[in-house]
């Protein structure tokens, strides 16, 4: 582990000689999963290979503060300012069924808009967006209350 921050440059990355093969394997498995999901999901529709069931979308704003230390002020953090953003809350499961069957893994994704400069996506270099896809968590960011509720009353 580095003892000091290393600014990102392409030469920091190590090339994997099997990258193209591994990438194609992931693409093929994802395509197969989605194609098979039409019948496997029980919905009659194709679903995503992860986080198939969304629970909510929140609109907000992300502010990049001024005065970030130079070693961290790169990429989206290089310029202070405010950006419109969306947060998507979802279940981590690749299925869109009943919550009781999906498990408790939850996800949160953040999309930031109005970002200057090219993205790392070769097929979308000028979208002006930045995405954070957070790793599944065993708990949701706002847990259910311990109260017992009927359709009209909570106790």
């Amino acid at each position: 582990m580095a003892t000091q921050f290393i600014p990102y440059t392409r030469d920091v990355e190590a090339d994997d000689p099997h990258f193209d093969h591994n990438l194609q394997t992931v693409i093929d498995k994802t395509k197969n999963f989605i194609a098979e999901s039409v019948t496997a999901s029980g919905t009659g529709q194709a679903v995503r290979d992860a986080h198939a069931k969304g629970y909510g979308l929140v609109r907000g704003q992300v502010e990049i503060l001024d005065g970030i230390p130079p070693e961290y002020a790169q990429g989206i953090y290089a310029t202070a300012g405010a950006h419109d953003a969306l947060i998507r809350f979802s279940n981590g499961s690749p299925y869109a069924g009943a919550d009781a069957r999906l498990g408790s893994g939850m996800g949160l994704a953040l999309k930031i808009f109005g970002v200057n400069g090219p993205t790392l996506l070769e097929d979308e270099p000028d979208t002006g967006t930045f995405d954070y896809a957070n790793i599944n968590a065993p708990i949701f960011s706002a847990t259910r209350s311990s109260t017992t509720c009927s359709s009209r009353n909570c106790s």
Side-chain angles (χ1 to χ4, degrees):
M1 178 140 206
T3 57
Q4 68 182 46
F5 181 81
I6 301 172
Y8 175 79
T9 57
R10 290 205 180 265
D11 62 313
V12 171
E13 295 183 41
D15 286 335
D16 178 354
H18 306 290
F19 178 82
D20 289 335
H21 171 75
N22 294 338
L23 177 61
Q24 192 58 51
T25 299
V26 170
I27 290 169
D28 292 344
K29 286 184 180 238
T30 301
K31 283 181 177 180
N32 289 338
F33 177 89
I34 292 171
E36 293 169 5
S37 74
V38 174
T39 54
S41 72
T43 64
Q45 298 176 351
V47 296
R48 299 163 53 115
D49 65 323
H51 300 276
K53 185 173 184 178
Y55 290 114
L57 193 63
V58 177
R59 185 184 314 187
Q61 198 172 64
V62 171
E63 184 178 1
I64 308 299
L65 301 177
D66 201 10
I68 295 175
E71 62 269 23
Y72 299 113
Q74 56 180 315
I76 191 173
Y77 306 106
T79 306
H83 302 275
D84 289 332
L86 292 174
I87 297 174
R88 178 183 188 256
F89 296 97
S90 62
N91 187 288
S93 173
Y95 304 104
D99 291 341
R101 293 182 168 205
L102 294 179
S104 59
M106 298 292 168
L108 180 147
L110 171 66
K111 180 176 279 292
I112 303 172
F113 299 91
V115 177
N116 293 328
T119 69
L120 296 176
L121 302 172
E122 293 175 3
D123 60 337
E124 298 180 357
D126 301 316
T127 60
T129 61
F130 186 88
D131 295 303
Y132 280 107
N134 295 296
I135 297 174
N136 294 350
I139 57 172
F140 193 57
S141 57
T143 60
R144 287 187 296 186
S145 169
S146 62
T147 59
T148 305
C149 297
S150 68
S151 62
R152 292 187 176 246
N153 299 314
C154 290
S155 57

